[in-house]
Amino acid sequence: MALRKPAAVNSDLKQHEILQKDSIRVSAVELEESQSTDLRRWRLANDRGRQTWHYMTTDEEAKLWTQNTVDKHHLGLDLDLPGLPRAETPLASAINALSFFSHLQLPSGNWASEYGGPMFLLPGLVIAWYVTKTAVPAPVATEIKRYLFARQNPEDGGWGLHIEGCSTVFGTAMNYVVLRLLGATEEDERILRARGKLHQLGGAVNGPHWAKFWLSVLGVMEWDAVNPVPPELWLLPDWVPFAPWRWWIHMRQVFLPMSFIASSHFSFPLTPLTRQLREELYVRPYSSINFASNRNSISPQDNYHPKSIFLRPINWALVNIWNPYLRTSSLAKRAEKWTFDLIHREDENTNYTNLGPVNAPMNLLACYIHDGEGSHSVERHRERMFDFLWMKNEGMLMNGTNGLQTWDTAFLIQAVVEAGLAEDPLWRPTLTKALEFLDDQQIREDCKQQEICYRQRRKGAWAFSTREQGYTVSDCTSEALKSVVMLQQLPGFPTLVSDDRLQDAIDTLLTMQNGSGGFASYELTRGSEYMEFLNAAEVFGRIMVEYDYPECTTAVVTALSTFSKLFPEYRKHDIAKSKANALKYIKKAQRVDGSWYGSWGICFTYAGMFALESLASIGEHYDNSAQVRKACEFFLNKQMDDGGWGESYTSCETGVYTQHVNSQVVQTCWALIGLMEAKYPNREPLEKAVKLVMGRQRPQGGWKQEAIEGVFNKSW
């Protein structure tokens, strides 16, 4: 496989040049029959934070671009690192961890990592590849199949919404289709088991809205089965309470290309394979199915967020009145023209990276429909799809974003500073490179005509992943800002991010506070929570508007505090007011049992850590705050017999703390941080937890991946 090679990948390429072609399409070969590739031939390229995996097809390529420690680590191969002395103290354990992580730093200064878990991402990509006639490199196809088979439910043969979820129609039907499109045969025993599970669940007609959309695009379902997604909504005046610009960014950037595509009723011409899939996906012959009568059919396992009593009649009216009688062709064309203009602006503002891996394949298809197969936009999208793919020991998955480069780098800096190791000359090169990365990744300008494309101010912000992706995130900006200030105030570190750029970050953060005092993720809350009555996704909750989050609010509060110590006079009154209102929100959001519900990690453990950090920043601790004492009691009541904490992802779904079967290192650390921020006075439970964390540290300084740590939008 010969994918486009970034200009700088690793030191080996300063002396060697691997000739590679610019297009993924010319590199495609027929799908291999082998079950896996040679993991020793995979390489992770890194170009200013952009991460893409490449397969060396020849011995010559493999010799020119040698596999390094980072590649081996992520592929689960043996590392050429010596074992470290067993840590006898927490500080020695931290030093061992830092030693290990220093070997994993990429040349641009950041750290790479998997951001997987959802099982509904690959299907959109592979179907988009198929219908846009994008050739799939054989090693990629082989490893996607291997990953899906590795994550197949061993008990029933299906797939769920995420890697720990029960089998659903969404997961099973869509991943079944992916495997068949990539060459798995209908007689494969694993495919037979999956088909059996799908039929047990009632077949693909019982899938949720997103599944029916993609299956209709592929031509293996009729558009009559898809509830309407009218692009005319984008023509509504901005003052309308449910206008799309008011929706949460992830919802509206998915609805945008989805509505354009659905309006065209694009359906890929039948091939022998898709004709066969029409018969495999259903429990009845395809020709006998009344697809229109199945618009609202959904399996109970998929129906996490049932359609509201308001949405059902709205859908009926759109299908039976609006579309056949009121929707003129001129209105439809005007809506399609405006929606595609907004799609084009999203592509330009993100350099075709797009917000995430759900809307990116949809934007690819929209450009294919509008601009044509050989267009510049289609070729750019084809190239960018590889930014989301991640290779590991189980195969190739699709990350939830194009990475978490800024997020991980910021927290690693803070960990080193908090451990008191930042001024040790041994670690200065590692930290300086990390600082250089954050300097490079700060967003320096707002989007072009940001008001027209409904974007939040972003000058001075940091994204979750890279500057190119370009979306302001409140907590990512806050954590990056804190990390920069922490390092630049220490002797021996350069001042790379100027005062005016730090002030730009503060100016952006101050625009993101809601009237409640809380902070959301990407933008202000623009609409009412009542818009959840229009939530058509069925498998996700709390997705229609932005919400306040204790995690994001804490990050901003602590960033404002860190900044004000350096610039006490800059917007002093605005910052003081913002912090006061934010802390009122934090206190109000605490539940009666002392907990906070978290949305960006699992769940009460994650949010509790952040909330206690907020309260500590204003001097509220266990000895002087009833709210802090109650939070500490909540944590201590959840500590497991082995000294650790372990919370199940089902807490996110149910809103009730649910104990995991086993304690988890990550959640144990979150609980420890919260209790230490609270200055909890009894050392015994803390020491027991620290002992557990140290006991699970591996000889080279790292820790084993345990259960998933994050479930978003309640269910994935």
Side-chain angles (χ1 to χ4, degrees), residues 409 419 424 445 611:
T409 302
D424 187 332
E445 67 289 315

Side-chain angles (χ1 to χ4, degrees), residues 492-600:
F493 289 96
T495 300
L496 301 179
V497 182
S498 60
D499 293 354
D500 61 312
R501 287 169 56 194
L502 294 174
Q503 292 164 4
D504 284 340
I506 293 297
D507 291 343
T508 291
L509 288 174
L510 290 174
T511 69
M512 301 183 75
Q513 189 167 30
N514 291 312
S516 63
F519 286 80
S521 52
Y522 293 87
E523 302 166 333
L524 289 167
T525 300
R526 298 175 174 182
S528 166
E529 188 173 354
Y530 288 117
M531 277 204 283
E532 293 296 346
F533 287 119
L534 302 180
N535 180 354
E538 299 164 318
V539 290
F540 311 120
R542 289 170 60 90
I543 62 170
M544 290 302 295
V545 295
E546 274 275 23
Y547 290 92
D548 298 319
Y549 302 109
E551 310 99 292
C552 296
T553 305
T554 291
V556 176
V557 166
T558 54
L560 294 176
S561 297
T562 300
F563 174 85
S564 293
K565 292 175 184 176
L566 188 62
F567 302 97
E569 296 302 316
Y570 186 79
R571 300 192 65 174
K572 177 170 64 175
H573 299 297
D574 293 334
I575 289 174
K577 181 180 178 182
S578 177
K579 286 175 59 179
N581 289 335
L583 287 158
K584 286 180 184 177
Y585 159 76
I586 290 285
K587 292 183 175 183
K588 186 177 179 181
Q590 188 178 25
R591 294 187 173 190
V592 175
D593 63 2
S595 68
W596 287 266
Y597 179 87
S599 299
W600 299 105

Side-chain angles (χ1 to χ4, degrees), residues 248-250 355 401 406-407 443 455-458 460-466 469-481 505 508-509 512 519-523 546 549 552 555-556 600:
W248 184 43
I249 183 64
H250 278 281
L355 175 63
T401 61
T406 293
W407 183 251
I443 302 169
R455 288 289 297 274
Q456 176 76 26
R457 172 194 159 108
R458 68 178 190 178
W462 277 270
F464 184 61
S465 56
T466 62
Q469 193 263 2
Y471 273 89
T472 301
V473 187
S474 62
D475 54 354
C476 300
T477 299
S478 299
E479 302 298 351
L481 173 67
T508 291
L509 288 174
M512 301 183 75
F519 286 80
S521 52
Y522 293 87
E523 302 166 333
E546 274 275 23
Y549 302 109
C552 296
V556 176
W600 299 105

Side-chain angles (χ1 to χ4, degrees), residues 69-70 73-74 79 81 84 93-107 109-113 408-409 411-413 415-416 427 430-431 433-434 665-666 697-698 700-705:
T69 301
V70 176
H73 168 71
H74 293 300
L79 304 182
L81 297 176
L84 299 169
S93 178
I95 292 171
N96 283 354
L98 181 53
S99 174
F100 176 70
F101 280 113
S102 68
H103 292 290
L104 302 181
Q105 188 175 30
L106 292 166
N110 65 293
W111 281 263
S113 62
D408 281 356
T409 302
F411 275 117
L412 192 135
I413 290 172
V416 179
W427 309 118
T430 297
L431 294 175
K433 285 169 62 180
V665 165
V666 169
Q697 190 171 28
R698 305 177 104 176
Q700 293 171 332
W703 282 267
K704 183 181 179 181
Q705 173 68 46

